[in-house]
């Protein structure tokens, strides 16, 4: 099964385990779609703003144009400006975002960078409750993931997320993978079926 999370492990598939994520770290196809769509959206907003300014000018010099056109033009101008600013904020937030997780020597080291600042912490593996396999449904699509679960949910760490095809893996395959992660981390495993909350494993 393919792990969608970009964890990098030692050659023996043990430790260290490292995960590095960037806000704009897209695949080629996704990157093309993101930047192309963004460019079209930005150009469209500028075009609407230019037309709105022109319409405002025309309403002031052409008495045949209804006065309410000016109100509509101001509304379009304001909406486009707010949308453009929101898109800019989103782009800058994603550009600044970076997350790095390193698991080694019995420690989980976490470092996250955003435009608002940095979040950093270190936690011992033995303080984690266990390795959980959890099922979930998102927009009608059923899937699952494996995570190191901590009493403080902000310190829980996903370690495996299947690709679209692997989400349909059988229960035996998922239990085997869960046991492998449990053995690697030296923690108990818990398999949560879709229809129930918790089922204790090894």
């Amino acid at each position: 099964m393919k792990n969608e999370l970009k964890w990098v492990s030692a050659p023996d598939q043990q430790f260290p385990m490292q995960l590095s994520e960037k806000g704009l770290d897209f695949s080629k196809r996704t990157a093309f779609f993101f930047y192309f769509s963004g460019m079209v959206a930005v150009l469209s907003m500028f075009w609407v703003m230019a037309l709105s300014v022109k319409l405002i000018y025309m309403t002031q010099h052409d008495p045949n144009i209804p006065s309410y056109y000016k109100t509509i033009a101001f509304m379009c101008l304001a909406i486009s400006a707010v949308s453009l600013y929101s898109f800019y904020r989103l782009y800058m937030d994603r550009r600044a975002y970076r997350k790095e997780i390193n698991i080694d020597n019995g420690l989980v080291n976490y470092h996250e960078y955003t435009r608002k600042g940095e979040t950093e912490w270190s936690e011992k593996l033995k303080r984690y409750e266990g390795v959980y396999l959890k099922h979930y449904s998102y927009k009608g699509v059923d899937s699952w993931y494996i995570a190191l679960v901590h009493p403080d949910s902000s310190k829980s760490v996903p370690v495996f997320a299947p690709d679209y095809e692997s989400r349909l893996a059988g229960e035996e395959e998922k239990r085997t993978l869960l046991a492998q992660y449990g053995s690697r981390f030296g923690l108990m495993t818990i398999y949560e079926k879709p229809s129930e909350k918790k089922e204790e494993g090894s």
Side-chain angles (χ1 to χ4, degrees):
M1 287 184 283
K2 181 181 178 181
N3 190 355
E4 287 288 276
L5 303 178
K6 299 178 181 180
W7 282 98
V8 177
S9 301
D12 58 359
Q13 296 298 308
Q14 293 299 315
F15 300 104
M17 286 179 62
Q18 298 175 326
L19 176 68
S20 181
E21 295 181 351
K22 296 180 180 179
L24 296 177
D25 186 17
F26 301 130
S27 64
K28 291 182 179 180
R29 180 179 298 179
T30 304
F32 172 79
F33 177 79
F34 175 82
Y35 288 110
F36 178 77
S37 300
M39 181 180 67
V40 171
V42 170
L43 290 176
S44 298
M45 285 183 279
F46 274 121
W47 180 248
V48 171
M49 292 173 71
L51 289 178
S52 299
V53 171
K54 183 177 181 180
L55 184 57
I56 292 172
Y57 174 81
M58 291 174 63
T59 56
Q60 293 176 337
H61 294 82
D62 189 343
N64 295 320
I65 298 178
S67 59
Y68 65 84
Y69 275 31
K70 186 176 182 179
T71 302
I72 295 175
F74 272 116
M75 289 178 60
C76 291
L77 188 61
I79 292 173
S80 296
V82 171
S83 299
L84 191 61
Y85 178 71
S86 297
F87 181 82
Y88 170 77
R89 286 287 303 273
L90 173 64
Y91 174 78
M92 295 305 293
D93 286 343
R94 297 309 301 171
R95 184 181 179 184
Y97 180 80
R98 191 166 78 256
K99 180 170 69 176
E100 296 174 355
I101 306 175
N102 183 73
I103 305 176
D104 195 20
N105 296 322
L107 291 174
V108 178
N109 297 301
Y110 180 95
H111 205 162
E112 183 181 56
Y113 307 81
T114 67
R115 281 212 304 164
K116 296 180 179 179
E118 299 180 21
T119 300
E120 186 175 10
W121 51 263
S122 182
E123 187 64 283
K124 294 181 179 180
L125 265 176
K126 64 182 182 181
R127 292 180 180 170
Y128 281 79
E129 293 180 340
V131 185
Y132 287 36
L133 188 149
K134 299 186 177 187
H135 292 85
Y136 69 95
S137 181
Y138 179 70
K139 293 185 177 180
V141 177
D142 295 327
S143 191
W144 53 277
Y145 66 95
I146 296 175
L148 280 168
V149 175
H150 192 277
D152 178 354
S153 60
S154 67
K155 293 185 178 181
S156 294
V157 178
V159 293
F160 186 91
D163 61 2
Y164 188 77
E165 294 182 358
S166 298
R167 69 186 175 83
L168 300 175
E171 184 173 314
E172 184 176 345
E173 291 179 273
K174 291 186 284 188
R175 287 183 179 275
T176 297
L177 184 63
L178 176 63
Q180 291 173 356
Y181 276 102
S183 177
R184 176 186 295 190
F185 295 119
L187 298 170
M188 74 171 186
T189 61
I190 296 179
Y191 184 96
E192 292 187 5
K193 292 183 178 180
S195 58
E196 62 188 32
K197 205 56 177 164
K198 291 185 180 180
E199 176 185 324
E200 292 192 6
S202 55

